Amino acid sequence: MYIVMFGPPGCGKGTQAEILHVKYNIPAISTGDLFRWHIKNQTELGKAVKCYLDKGELVPDEVTLNIVDERISREDCLENGGLFDGIPRTVYQASRLDELLGKRDLKISSCLNICVPDESIVTRLADRVIGSDGKTYNLVTNPPPGGMSFSRRSDDEPETVRNRLRLYHEMTHPLVEYYARKGIMHTVDGDRPIEIVSVELMGLIDLLAN
Ligand code: AP5
């Protein structure tokens, strides 16, 4: 199954993709994580995309689509599907993602839209931390285990978060219509505890699988 995890920055796409990955063994494909891996490892791609992530701007489409094409071609994804987290972010990317899957006779089964109001996003991202185990935590709603050291994402500065939210509303939110027209858009209220949101998403995936 190929599923788009959709919603504004900080709505919990990555958190839920990780939970769903553990439950269903579907690989989570996060473009943000792929870019951050390249930045951390100082690859040429990492050097080229760092300025976009730092400012909360979109990385150019061809760079993004190439990295996704390569990820889809790996065995785990071809065999077990994919939870797309952070892609697509524009209608253009959505149609290109359809093409990348289509050339392998695959397609998106569902778009899971995790709705969270902007006010909650700003608070959540101010409290987001990344633990030394690489996992995402929140100092208020999902604290890292006691004693674990943590860092913050450079794009969680309030001004950058505002830019990311602006871009989401302008460029990404129109995708709701794109997937609704295909009849595969499912919306859940993401402004509830993590476990409650997970249960609802699992219910939707179980329905799709049957
Ligand atoms: P990316 O990493 O994809 O960032 P994002 O889409 O802005 O989403 P986030 O990772 O910030 O949030 P999330 O929804 O995963 O929330 P999380 O689970 O962490 O992209 C980063 C950058 O890469 C972009 O700005 C762009 O530059 C570039 N990029 C990526 N994809 C691209 C593309 N396709 N095209 C071009 N450029 C691209 O949760 C957030 C916090 O809330 C955490 O602290 C978590 O613990 C907490 N939390 C989660 N769920 C709940 C809940 N239900 N209740 C309370 N707290 C919760």
Side-chain angles (χ1 to χ4, degrees):
M1 232 185 297
Y2 296 85
I3 294 173
V4 172
M5 307 294 297
F6 187 80
C11 69
K13 300 181 295 293
T15 300
Q16 296 298 338
E18 175 58 25
I19 294 170
L20 298 176
H21 162 67
V22 170
K23 164 106 176 154
Y24 296 100
N25 194 32
I26 304 176
I29 301 168
S30 159
T31 38
D33 283 352
L34 290 168
F35 290 139
R36 282 185 288 276
W37 183 91
H38 280 277
I39 292 171
K40 190 172 169 211
N41 289 283
Q42 299 189 348
T43 67
E44 285 309 308
L45 192 145
K47 288 176 200 161
V49 301
K50 185 174 183 309
C51 59
Y52 296 98
L53 273 86
D54 283 348
K55 286 189 252 167
E57 298 288 340
L58 294 188
V59 171
D61 285 332
E62 291 316 309
V63 179
T64 303
L65 291 158
N66 280 342
I67 207 171
V68 171
D69 193 22
E70 189 281 323
R71 183 65 189 85
I72 295 173
S73 67
R74 291 195 221 155
E75 202 176 318
D76 61 337
C77 194
L78 291 174
E79 284 182 2
N80 301 329
L83 298 164
F84 294 104
D85 162 12
I87 174 95
R89 272 176 140 91
T90 59
V91 171
Y92 174 73
Q93 287 189 2
S95 68
R96 291 289 304 277
L97 180 62
D98 285 345
E99 280 172 27
L100 292 180
L101 290 170
K103 74 182 181 188
R104 298 166 168 108
D105 281 333
L106 305 169
K107 64 173 186 175
I108 300 288
S109 322
S110 179
C111 176
L112 303 178
N113 179 14
I114 306 174
C115 266
V116 178
D118 286 6
E119 314 82 76
S120 303
I121 297 287
V122 173
T123 316
R124 274 188 197 186
L125 292 184
D127 294 324
R128 171 163 62 182
V129 291
I130 311 300
S132 52
D133 60 355
K135 293 191 177 156
T136 297
Y137 296 98
N138 188 286
L139 293 176
V140 176
T141 59
N142 181 24
M148 181 182 276
S149 60
F150 54 79
S151 57
R152 290 178 191 271
R153 268 175 50 173
S154 60
D155 58 350
D156 280 346
E157 292 299 321
E159 197 181 321
T160 316
V161 169
R162 277 192 289 277
N163 193 35
R164 289 162 60 201
L165 275 170
R166 181 186 59 76
L167 272 181
Y168 169 77
H169 289 295
E170 275 176 32
M171 315 277 293
T172 309
H173 192 261
L175 280 169
V176 170
E177 182 59 29
Y178 180 90
Y179 288 114
R181 256 188 277 119
K182 289 178 182 278
I184 57 170
M185 171 58 92
H186 303 278
T187 298
V188 302
D189 175 4
D191 205 11
R192 296 173 296 165
I194 293 172
E195 304 71 28
I196 307 257
V197 178
S198 302
V199 168
E200 191 165 339
L201 293 175
M202 286 174 191
L204 286 167
I205 293 181
D206 290 342
L207 271 179
L208 283 169
N210 292 314

